[in-house]
């Protein structure tokens, strides 16, 4: 059996940062650069449960995702997608470990600092449609 590969997911997963654009109730886009890992056919991001992007996603699960630099300057074309907010503590911990592994010391410091601040985190599972489908 041969694995099906989503080229859009692969392109975005290779980026050091991705820009995740969420939408306010009035449709205004809000872009945020984030760290990302890919697992299980989704791009996965850690964020605070009470962050603006989570609040916006509770009203509208549509997103636009593009590779970017640390400042959010796009480095490729955005693709539409959807986001699911996952609050399962085991998955949050797993994705934190993956972020810590991918982003080395800086990633581990980010996770540590989130815990010191007692920040409740969630995972955003970003579904990216296959452009070839």
């Amino acid at each position: 059996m041969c694995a099906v590969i989503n080229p859009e997911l692969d392109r975005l997963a290779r980026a050091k940062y991705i820009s995740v654009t969420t939408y306010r109730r009035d449709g205004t886009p809000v872009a945020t650069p984030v760290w990302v890992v890919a697992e299980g056919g989704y791009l996965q991001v850690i964020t605070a449960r009470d962050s603006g992007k989570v609040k916006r996603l509770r009203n509208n699960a549509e997103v636009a995702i593009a590779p970017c630099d640390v400042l959010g300057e796009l480095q490729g074309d955005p693709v539409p997608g959807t986001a699911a907010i996952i609050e399962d503590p085991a998955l949050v911990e797993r994705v934190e470990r993956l972020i810590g592994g991918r982003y080395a010391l800086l990633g581990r410091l980010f996770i540590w600092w989130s815990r010191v601040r007692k920040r409740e985190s969630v995972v955003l599972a970003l579904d990216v449609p296959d452009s070839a489908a």
Side-chain angles (χ1 to χ4, degrees):
M1 180 192 278
C2 136
V4 177
I5 300 198
N6 178 337
E8 289 296 341
L9 178 82
D10 185 55
R11 173 180 74 101
L12 293 165
R14 282 184 279 122
K16 186 166 183 178
Y17 302 94
I18 60 170
S19 173
V20 176
T21 300
T22 54
Y23 301 93
R24 293 185 178 140
R25 288 181 192 260
D26 68 2
T28 303
V30 180
T32 308
V34 294
W35 286 337
V36 63
V37 294
E39 185 170 74
Y42 296 93
L43 298 171
Q44 297 186 8
V45 171
I46 291 286
T47 192
R49 180 181 309 229
D50 61 353
S51 69
K53 61 187 151 302
V54 169
K55 291 175 186 174
R56 290 186 293 275
L57 287 169
R58 290 193 193 283
N59 293 308
N60 181 354
E62 293 181 28
V63 294
I65 309 161
C68 69
D69 64 18
V70 68
L71 299 176
E73 291 293 322
L74 299 187
Q75 296 181 330
D77 294 329
V79 295
T82 56
I85 302 163
I86 302 172
E87 300 185 42
D88 174 30
L91 182 61
V92 170
E93 186 176 320
R94 173 152 177 73
V95 174
E96 284 176 341
R97 281 194 313 271
L98 292 170
I99 292 284
R102 179 167 188 205
Y103 294 94
L105 180 59
L106 197 53
R108 290 189 295 277
L109 284 172
F110 167 78
I111 301 304
W112 172 81
W113 184 244
S114 295
R115 289 180 182 159
V116 165
R117 292 181 12 224
K118 297 185 187 314
R119 182 183 107 167
E120 292 184 46
S121 296
V122 297
V123 170
L124 302 182
L126 307 174
D127 188 16
V128 179
D130 185 351
S131 63

